[in-house]
Amino acid sequence: MSISAALNSAISGLNASSRQVQAISNNLANSLTPGYGARSVELTAGGGEIGGGVRVTAINRDINDVLLNDRRRADSAVAASTTSANFFAEIERLLATPEDANSITARLAQFEASLVTASVRPEEVSRLQASVLSGADVANALNVASDRVQVLRTEAETQIQKDVADANEYLRQLDTLNGQIIDTRNRGTSAASFEDQRSLVMDQLAEIMPLRVFERDNGSIAIYTPTGAGLLDGKPAELTFSATNLVTADMTQANGLLSGLEINGNPVRTDGMNSPIAGGRLAANFNLRDELAVDTQAQLDAVARNLVERFQTPGVDPTQGATDPGLFTDGGAFFDPANEVGLAGRIALSDAVKPDAGGDFWRLRDGLYAAAPGPSGDATVLNNIADALTDQGALVSGNLGGTARGVSGHMASMMSYFGQQRLSLDQTVSFAQANQTGLIETELAQGVNSDEELQQLLLVEQAFAANARLIQTAGDMLDQILGI
């Protein structure tokens, strides 16, 4: 080997070592950086002859695509299940447990107890007042629960709008990054930094909806949903959704009062496993708005209907006509079964027993439509009201079952129903989070290994020293030649 060949070989070795040190330094500095893929330097012989040296052919970004896609699907599952579980946790918190004095069941129990107390001394106005206030509390608790359900639907509507806007922005960013990666590779330089950015954007998009990612030969990616809807392949898809500012109980996607989702102008399903967006936060919020919250409202309405109809039954109040509103009303009016949706938000105690609405407390004792007070010691109507609350009757709507119960029994059944829903979803969340945690740990284990990087750095330093020694030796030989 000639001296010049040796120098060329040593210089190329120093350059290669320099690139390796740079890659190792980046790996160590970014070992905990989200989205970062470990770099490795690919080396080949610098020519066919001896002394051709070494050449850096590529800076590779070392990732496990299969593991990465599995982790992103786990991210989608966690986001979806958490959204649904949080909804039922909020409903359970709102209605509270029976031992809570502010729970809906505790308020009903207080109303029943106040009626018994009033029936013992029906002439005591303070006891009649306590019963009226307790009854109003029961109606108010149903009102608050119903209103909160619609607020949660409205919040889901707002989140859907945000997720759609974010998804469109992420797809545009991914399209831009695809172009940058193609251009960078065509120039013969490393596109690893752009690939890191692209990975981070895909992580964010994966929480909104599950992704299937395909890498093209030119370094770009195509993205589809698990059911095959195209999100990015040559150009980004456009998701469209029209949000409303306020969702009410009567508004659904089915009756056209709430918007669905379109991809590139084509309506797509937002429910069920065949939906293009099934499995992520976007689908979970559609499910919350159109299924979970609607079902919750239906159970509240079923219990409210049962309560109202018990006091529209002839015989409870002898002063009441066949079409007169009873003690519990539909916003002050007679309840029409065809208008059940949203009843829990409208149920109210009759104005006839409210002095601030022109009524009187004594009407609770003597009848809502009595022309004048009756015998102050007559507790017949009070006893009828108490009996109406405890009479065994089945719900005629909702899906809490057809078992005959008193009002308190139906309230307890409703609480149990929501509790079971929350428990089931908590288990789903726990499984999804455990799966996500396991995949993240595996991903980290296959990422930057500091010990291995430091060992590699020692080998690079040895190679650097060997090449430097070769250059020094060649220099000494040239000095000797020039000195002859």
Side-chain angles (χ1 to χ4, degrees):
M1 177 189 299
S2 66
I3 294 177
S4 62
L7 282 172
N8 288 335
S9 179
I11 290 171
S12 68
L14 289 177
N15 289 333
S17 296
S18 176
R19 296 292 296 275
Q20 287 178 300
V21 168
Q22 183 181 20
I24 293 169
S25 298
N26 285 336
N27 289 343
L28 291 171
N30 292 281
S31 60
L32 299 178
T33 300
Y36 180 81
R39 310 316 196 234
S40 63
V41 179
E42 184 177 319
L43 303 176
T44 59
E49 70 235 16
I50 296 175
V54 65
R55 182 165 58 92
V56 176
T57 56
I59 304 295
N60 295 321
R61 182 173 179 269
D62 300 326
I63 58 169
N64 185 328
D65 288 326
V66 174
L67 177 62
L68 186 60
N69 288 330
D70 286 345
R71 195 264 297 157
R72 286 183 180 137
R73 281 192 288 271
D75 292 345
S76 298
V78 169
S81 57
T82 300
T83 297
S84 301
N86 287 345
F87 169 77
F88 280 110
E90 172 70 8
I91 294 300
E92 230 184 1
R93 183 201 63 75
L94 181 66
L95 298 178
T97 54
E99 60 269 15
D100 189 331
N102 292 319
S103 70
I104 192 169
T105 50
R107 293 183 185 192
L108 180 63
Q110 178 60 35
F111 180 47
E112 292 176 346
S114 69
L115 288 171
V116 173
T117 301
S119 67
V120 174
R121 297 287 299 275
E123 71 279 4
E124 291 283 348
V125 175
S126 61
R127 299 192 181 196
L128 297 176
Q129 179 182 16
S131 294
V132 169
L133 294 176
S134 295
D137 279 347
V138 173
N140 183 65
L142 287 168
N143 296 159
V144 170
S146 177
D147 291 345
R148 184 58 183 162
V149 169
Q150 301 314 312
V151 168
L152 292 173
R153 292 183 76 200
T154 302
E155 290 176 353
E157 178 91 344
T158 301
Q159 185 62 50
I160 291 169
Q161 182 182 33
K162 182 179 183 303
D163 280 342
V164 167
D166 287 347
N168 286 328
E169 177 60 25
Y170 295 150
L171 290 171
R172 286 190 288 268
Q173 291 177 11
L174 290 170
D175 182 50
T176 299
L177 288 166
N178 269 347
Q180 291 172 325
I181 288 168
I182 293 172
D183 291 343
T184 303
R185 287 193 173 190
N186 288 339
R187 290 195 298 269
T189 55
S190 173
S193 295
F194 290 127
E195 291 172 353
D196 286 345
Q197 294 177 31
R198 189 173 65 183
S199 182
L200 283 174
V201 175
M202 283 194 289
D203 286 349
Q204 293 172 302
L205 182 59
E207 290 189 10
I208 297 175
M209 64 185 82
L211 308 175
R212 293 179 65 193
V213 181
F214 304 92
E215 185 167 355
R216 305 305 190 195
D217 292 339
N218 60 5
S220 67
I221 57 169
I223 303 177
Y224 290 80
T225 69
T227 57
L231 297 177
L232 176 64
D233 196 354
K235 64 178 182 179
E238 181 74 19
L239 280 65
T240 308
F241 173 77
S242 300
T244 186
N245 293 328
L246 179 65
V247 179
T248 56
D250 62 306
M251 298 170 69
T252 65
Q253 186 179 164
N255 64 20
L257 296 178
L258 293 176
S259 172
L261 181 69
E262 294 182 353
I263 298 180
N264 290 331
N266 299 311
V268 298
R269 288 187 60 177
T270 56
D271 64 315
M273 295 308 298
N274 291 326
S275 167
I277 60 171
R281 187 174 61 232
L282 181 59
N285 276 301
F286 269 111
N287 184 54
L288 191 162
R289 188 197 70 173
D290 298 333
E291 302 291 339
L292 300 182
V294 171
D295 176 71
T296 299
Q297 183 68 51
Q299 310 323 313
L300 291 169
D301 290 342
V303 171
R305 174 178 178 176
N306 181 264
L307 182 57
V308 170
E309 289 186 329
R310 286 171 183 265
F311 297 98
Q312 289 186 171
T313 302
V316 176
D317 182 351
T319 69
Q320 183 179 333
T323 59
D324 289 330
L327 181 61
F328 287 93
T329 70
D330 183 355
F334 186 84
F335 169 65
D336 179 0
N339 191 31
E340 181 177 341
V341 175
L343 177 61
R346 303 189 305 268
I347 188 172
L349 202 66
S350 173
D351 286 346
V353 297
K354 299 177 183 177
D356 59 352
D360 291 289
F361 295 134
W362 58 261
R363 293 187 186 279
L364 186 67
R365 177 193 64 208
D366 300 325
L368 300 178
Y369 300 93
S376 61
D378 188 356
T380 301
V381 175
L382 289 170
N383 288 327
N384 289 345
I385 294 172
D387 290 342
L389 289 172
T390 57
D391 284 345
Q392 303 297 293
L395 297 177
V396 296
S397 58
N399 56 8
L400 297 177
T403 304
R405 299 184 176 95
V407 177
S408 60
H410 291 309
M411 293 283 192
S413 177
M414 180 178 66
M415 290 297 300
S416 176
Y417 176 82
F418 292 140
Q420 289 172 359
Q421 296 275 56
R422 194 265 307 160
L423 180 61
S424 175
L425 283 165
D426 280 351
Q427 293 172 342
T428 302
V429 170
S430 296
F431 175 80
Q433 289 177 336
N435 184 45
Q436 180 192 46
T437 300
L439 290 169
I440 289 174
E441 290 176 350
T442 304
E443 188 178 7
L444 290 174
Q446 295 187 9
V448 177
N449 186 312
S450 299
D451 292 338
E452 291 181 0
E453 295 294 330
L454 291 173
Q455 291 174 6
Q456 182 66 24
L457 183 60
L458 291 175
L459 295 176
V460 172
E461 287 177 348
Q462 291 174 5
F464 188 92
N467 285 306
R469 180 60 179 167
L470 179 57
I471 291 173
Q472 182 180 6
T473 301
D476 291 342
M477 294 174 65
L478 287 173
D479 288 342
Q480 292 180 5
I481 293 172
L482 292 174
I484 293 174

